[in-house]
Amino acid sequence: MIMEMWFTEWFGIWGWLIALAIGLAINVPLFIWVRLRRHLTIWACFIAAFFGIAYWMINPIFYLALFTFFISSNLLTKYRKKDKQSIQDKFEKGGERDTSQVLANGLGGLIFSLAHLLVFIFTDNVILSNAFIYAAIAAVATVTADTWGTEIGILSNDQPYWILNLKKKVERGTSGGISPKGTVAAFIGAIIVAVLMLLIEIFWKNPIPVSTSWQVYLFIPIAGIAGFIGALIDSLLGATIQGFFKCQVCSKGTEKRIHCKEPTKIIRGQEWFRNDHVNFLSSFLAGLIAFGLGCFGFLF
Ligand SMILES: [Zn+2]
């Protein structure tokens, strides 16, 4: 082991135990509350709590990114909930978020933060180790941007534009539809995650390990922009490979397999490729973009 973990540096040899205790002390009450408020199903709560503690143990700044995503999504989901009800009908899922939704939103960031951890522990390659940090930030920024974009976008009274042909309009709530409001919200969501990371980096003495140069200040905002690109990729995938169906009874377009109590008919995309796959894949791709850009640190 070449580098020390943050908790060993902070609390000494038993640091991992103290860090784990703090992680549990924050997350257990949080997820009991989340469960009581019916934000997540029981199993989704366990997985989300596991993600929370894993992100926390790897580096508290990843936890903070995830926390920002989680809190802001919950607030935005509740924001003007009544106005969204008619459109919710189009989405595959509503109400309590389930395990696959939690996996879709948290897994990309976890993969990249684990990759960062392995590089950090077993090598002294700062560029690579940091590039994975940017990737993890971009992955969380993507799911944040996507949630912000969706929750604000569906409140827009205007019909959204079809991402594959901006001259064409589609029904509100259609996957692959984008609106000016939703796009701006997605951008803000992604940038807020990056700005928070940047502020911590500046004021909390480099929690990003061994990164003392200005590169970090450049690449964290780039990771935020990669997150916004990730949200656009999300819409592109939503317009192409994601399965979209039509109700045989009321003729409405929907992500649901069953509508008006009857099976729906596929009208585009792959039947098995669902919104959760789209979310995971777009966050993963945004992470790869940020990782690739972060590797340009070699050039400086
Ligand atoms: Zn129907």
Side-chain angles (χ1 to χ4, degrees):
M1 184 179 285
I2 292 166
M3 298 303 296
E4 272 190 345
M5 292 294 292
W6 66 274
F7 39 75
T8 316
E9 217 164 276
W10 281 29
F11 306 118
I13 190 159
W14 289 100
W16 66 274
L17 201 60
I18 299 171
L20 188 61
I22 299 172
L24 287 169
I26 298 171
N27 286 288
V28 172
L30 174 70
F31 284 100
I32 289 176
W33 178 80
V34 163
R35 179 59 204 150
L36 291 176
R37 295 296 301 268
R38 308 267 153 174
H39 289 312
L40 300 175
T41 63
I42 290 180
W43 284 109
C45 265
F46 278 112
I47 293 178
F50 166 76
F51 275 155
I53 291 167
Y55 275 65
W56 168 263
M57 294 301 281
I58 296 170
N59 193 324
I61 90 154
F62 294 137
Y63 181 75
L64 210 87
L66 191 69
F67 193 78
T68 309
F69 158 70
F70 188 74
I71 296 296
S72 68
S73 323
N74 270 331
L75 290 175
L76 284 177
T77 304
K78 270 188 281 174
Y79 175 64
R80 289 177 59 190
K81 202 168 182 178
K82 274 192 188 144
D83 300 333
K84 294 175 192 163
Q85 242 140 28
S86 62
I87 299 160
Q88 287 297 349
D89 187 47
K90 274 202 174 315
F91 298 130
E92 190 186 346
K93 295 167 182 174
E96 285 183 19
R97 286 165 203 234
D98 62 19
T99 46
S100 60
Q101 277 172 298
V102 171
L103 282 170
N105 286 319
L107 193 59
L110 187 66
I111 291 171
F112 291 119
S113 46
L114 277 174
H116 151 73
L117 183 69
L118 293 176
V119 173
F120 175 67
I121 291 178
F122 296 112
T123 77
D124 52 3
N125 193 327
V126 179
I127 303 274
L128 209 56
S129 158
N130 282 359
F132 278 123
I133 291 182
Y134 310 137
I137 294 173
V140 178
T142 300
V143 293
T144 310
D146 178 47
T147 310
W148 281 51
T150 307
E151 294 296 337
I152 299 297
I154 56 176
L155 285 172
S156 178
N157 287 321
D158 307 319
Q159 275 187 304
Y161 299 92
W162 182 235
I163 190 164
L164 298 178
N165 174 8
L166 293 176
K167 282 180 190 153
K168 196 178 139 193
K169 291 196 171 191
V170 289
E171 276 181 73
R172 285 161 72 200
T174 304
S175 48
I178 55 169
S179 65
K181 263 190 198 169
T183 309
V184 171
F187 185 76
I188 295 171
I191 291 303
I192 277 182
V193 172
V195 166
L196 264 172
M197 298 299 102
L198 198 58
L199 288 175
I200 303 168
E201 180 62 22
I202 293 169
F203 292 109
W204 182 16
K205 285 190 185 168
N206 303 308
I208 294 181
V210 287
S211 57
T212 45
S213 71
W214 54 271
Q215 286 169 13
V216 180
Y217 301 122
L218 176 68
F219 284 112
I220 292 177
I222 288 177
I225 292 166
F228 174 64
I229 294 170
L232 294 177
I233 294 174
D234 190 290
S235 293
L236 270 178
L237 295 174
T240 51
I241 41 176
Q242 185 185 337
F244 199 71
F245 306 85
K246 191 175 177 180
C247 177
Q248 303 282 73
V249 180
C250 70
S251 297
K252 277 185 187 161
T254 178
E255 292 177 354
K256 289 180 177 153
R257 306 292 281 273
I258 304 281
H259 202 264
C260 301
K261 293 177 184 162
E262 292 287 330
T264 52
K265 199 178 159 204
I266 184 128
I267 49 173
R268 68 163 187 268
Q270 300 294 321
E271 212 167 339
W272 58 272
F273 205 89
R274 321 309 300 271
N275 190 248
D276 293 335
H277 299 110
V278 169
N279 286 346
F280 167 72
L281 190 59
S282 57
S283 75
F284 190 76
L285 291 175
L288 287 183
I289 291 171
F291 174 79
L293 293 171
C295 286
F296 278 107
F298 279 118
L299 296 177
F300 298 110

